[in-house]
Amino acid sequence: MIKPNYMEKLLEGVEVEWKALGDVTLPTSNIRWRDTKDTYRYIDLTSVSREKNIIIETTEISAENAPSRAQKLVIKNDVIFATTRPTQQRLCLITEEFSGEVASTGYCILRARKDEVLPKWIYHSITSSRFKNYVEENQSGSAYPAISDAKVKDFKIPIPPLKVQEEIVRILDAFTEFTSELTSELTSELTARKKQYTYYRDKLLTFEEGEVEWKTLGEVAKFRRGSFPQPYGKDEWYGGEGAMPFVQVVDVGEDMRLVQNTKNKISKLAQPKSVFVQEGTVIVTLQGSIGRVAITQYDCYVDRTLAIFESFQVKINKKYFAYQLQAKFAFEKEKARGSTIKTITKEEFTKFQIPIPPLTEQERIVSILDKFDALTSSITEALPREIELRQKQYEYYRNLLLSFPKEEVEE
């Protein structure tokens, strides 16, 4: 915990000057492709992870194949900030591994004057909410918003003594590392729980040959596809008085439920041209994220990218059927070339076989799987909340530690 008078003690009465980034950074240079036959790793805009602020991939380039934007030479401890779509905050510190490589002209290179400012001080300063607000106010262009290098370098940051910068950077780095470790641990925990759930689900839904009766989906239930009038983008198909939820692939969650509010509502005019399903109907996605299953929790209309099961031909628990459908698609995706099903025909789909144990056994299996599912879902919901809390805690302390008394700063 950082006490309120911590900054005063740290500064020991020293006045903190505010300076523009351009006044505390050095000039940088571009590569002269005509003078070199060497190859370089190219740091393009997509090379930097927005989540981790590190370089995740590069391509090899030379004078023969270098894109026109491959111009800026970077060295260790440069801070690079993407000036195209700047509110995405694509930035990182150049490590030894990428020193001497070439970056896109889409980056502003901030090379610290180390007698005045630490590279990490610049890095933390441009991750602050104050810099984010500055970028939003000074970017231009609607289709491809951008901010100029000059405007980035006009941004003013506090310049306390180097020893104060070192101490604050140490604290912020510790927070960053803690948040990163926690996120990694929680993600691993969630992955382990999901694997455990999948293992028990498959075990409970698997039967030996001859143990129970097996039937194809075509024998178990009648199904049809949803529908929607074409073209999709016509305004009159959406919204208005009497509009109803319109379910597409994006609206089917991984928890066998629909999202609470569908992305689109289907207009009264379009409803007769689509397919209505009542609450409690089993549906499955057949395009895009294939194999997502849901039991609808409200009345809705359904797109043609989903199959709707309405009339069951055997005694079957609807939830048991949904679990089997989900497991069957997961299995088929696992064995498909490229680890996923790209397309699925009606003929293939109809021939999927599932086991049909007695109704009491189906109900017992559903009861167990529902408990597992509830446990896994609670962890799934808690994880993003916990990560968000830790991230906010880091941002709070970062803003606190970078908020120095100052004269009115014009930016």
Side-chain angles (χ1 to χ4, degrees):
M1 180 67 71
I2 297 170
K3 295 180 179 177
N5 61 350
Y6 174 81
M7 295 301 292
E8 292 175 17
K9 285 186 177 178
L10 197 60
L11 287 170
E12 295 177 327
V14 175
E15 291 286 328
V16 175
E17 192 176 0
W18 287 70
K19 291 187 177 180
L21 282 170
D23 293 334
V24 293
T25 53
L26 296 166
T28 58
S29 59
N30 287 358
I31 191 167
R32 295 165 63 92
W33 285 111
R34 64 176 179 273
D35 295 337
T36 180
K37 293 183 179 179
D38 293 339
T39 60
Y40 294 82
R41 282 184 287 181
Y42 176 44
I43 306 166
D44 200 357
L45 288 178
T46 55
S47 298
V48 174
S49 163
R50 290 170 52 202
E51 292 74 27
K52 297 180 179 179
N53 290 348
I54 58 172
I55 295 171
I56 51 176
E57 62 179 7
T58 57
T59 54
E60 292 285 332
I61 58 171
S62 65
E64 294 180 352
N65 66 352
S68 60
R69 291 172 68 87
Q71 296 289 335
K72 294 189 172 182
L73 283 166
V74 293
I75 60 174
K76 181 183 177 183
N77 286 328
D78 280 352
V79 178
I80 63 173
F81 175 77
T83 52
T84 302
R85 297 189 186 282
T87 55
Q88 291 187 352
Q89 288 281 295
R90 206 181 285 276
L91 62 97
C92 76
L93 188 77
I94 296 295
T95 59
E96 179 72 41
E97 182 184 358
F98 295 100
S99 187
E101 306 297 353
V102 176
S104 165
T105 52
Y107 287 107
C108 175
I109 313 296
L110 300 168
R111 185 169 298 164
R113 292 182 184 274
K114 293 181 182 174
D115 56 338
E116 284 203 72
V117 66
L118 299 176
K120 273 285 188 76
W121 185 257
I122 292 177
Y123 170 85
H124 284 299
S125 294
I126 66 171
T127 61
S128 68
S129 54
R130 198 169 62 82
F131 182 68
K132 289 176 187 172
N133 294 336
Y134 174 84
V135 165
E136 284 183 8
E137 291 167 3
N138 288 281
Q139 65 179 354
S140 58
S142 53
Y144 297 98
I147 185 171
S148 68
D149 284 20
K151 207 66 189 174
V152 170
K153 291 183 178 180
D154 281 344
F155 180 70
K156 291 182 177 175
I157 62 173
I159 311 292
L162 286 173
K163 66 174 186 178
V164 175
Q165 294 181 33
E166 286 170 3
E167 175 60 10
I168 292 176
V169 164
R170 185 190 67 76
I171 295 170
L172 291 175
D173 281 352
F175 267 120
T176 303
E177 187 177 350
F178 172 70
T179 303
S180 177
E181 283 180 3
L182 185 68
T183 301
S184 176
E185 287 172 7
L186 290 174
T187 303
S188 298
E189 175 68 15
L190 178 63
T191 302
R193 294 298 177 199
K194 282 185 173 177
K195 279 186 178 176
Q196 187 183 41
Y197 165 74
T198 301
Y199 171 79
Y200 284 112
R201 182 199 66 185
D202 292 347
K203 203 168 178 61
L204 283 164
L205 296 176
T206 301
F207 295 86
E208 297 294 332
E209 192 173 348
E211 192 177 2
V212 297
E213 190 177 11
W214 287 70
K215 287 186 178 293
T216 65
L217 290 184
E219 293 171 328
V220 173
K222 292 187 181 302
F223 66 90
R224 56 177 173 156
R225 303 283 287 260
S227 182
F228 191 78
Q230 301 299 309
Y232 272 109
K234 209 169 179 180
D235 289 345
E236 62 194 40
W237 303 146
Y238 304 96
E241 187 178 352
M244 290 276 293
F246 173 58
V247 174
Q248 298 170 282
V249 172
V250 69
D251 302 310
V252 182
E254 295 181 352
D255 57 353
M256 282 201 203
R257 293 173 64 81
L258 304 177
V259 296
Q260 199 54 42
N261 292 303
T262 55
K263 183 179 177 183
N264 289 308
K265 297 281 191 295
I266 185 169
S267 70
K268 215 164 181 177
L269 180 67
Q271 288 170 17
K273 304 174 188 293
S274 185
V275 176
F276 175 77
V277 300
Q278 289 185 321
E279 174 187 346
T281 301
V282 179
I283 61 174
V284 61
T285 59
L286 298 179
Q287 287 183 21
S289 299
I290 291 175
R292 285 192 183 179
V293 181
I295 301 178
T296 58
Q297 71 265 29
Y298 45 74
D299 294 346
C300 56
Y301 286 80
V302 172
D303 190 33
R304 59 182 176 175
T305 53
L306 293 99
I308 306 156
F309 295 87
E310 294 174 311
S311 179
F312 290 93
Q313 310 297 302
V314 298
K315 287 185 178 178
I316 194 165
N317 180 293
K318 199 179 288 183
K319 193 73 178 286
Y320 171 82
F321 175 72
Y323 274 125
Q324 280 290 2
L325 205 56
Q326 188 184 56
K328 184 63 182 172
F329 269 97
F331 173 77
E332 293 294 332
K333 281 199 280 190
E334 190 70 26
K335 77 173 188 180
R337 186 181 301 173
S339 75
T340 187
I341 303 176
K342 303 297 184 190
T343 58
I344 185 165
T345 66
K346 183 178 178 181
E347 186 180 13
E348 290 171 332
F349 177 57
T350 308
K351 288 179 180 176
F352 279 5
Q353 287 195 324
I354 62 170
I356 312 292
L359 207 51
T360 53
E361 178 62 7
Q362 295 177 30
E363 290 166 351
R364 186 185 75 83
I365 291 171
V366 166
S367 173
I368 296 170
L369 287 177
D370 278 352
K371 288 174 185 169
F372 268 120
D373 187 50
L375 177 63
T376 306
S377 296
S378 66
I379 295 172
T380 304
E381 290 169 7
L383 176 67
R385 277 204 304 271
E386 185 64 25
I387 292 173
E388 186 183 357
L389 281 174
R390 295 305 168 202
Q391 185 62 32
K392 282 184 177 176
Q393 185 184 41
Y394 161 72
E395 289 173 4
Y396 169 78
Y397 283 115
R398 181 190 60 202
N399 292 338
L400 178 70
L401 289 166
L402 297 177
S403 297
F404 289 85
K406 62 181 186 300
E407 297 174 358
E408 195 64 29
V409 177
E410 296 292 338
E411 293 170 341

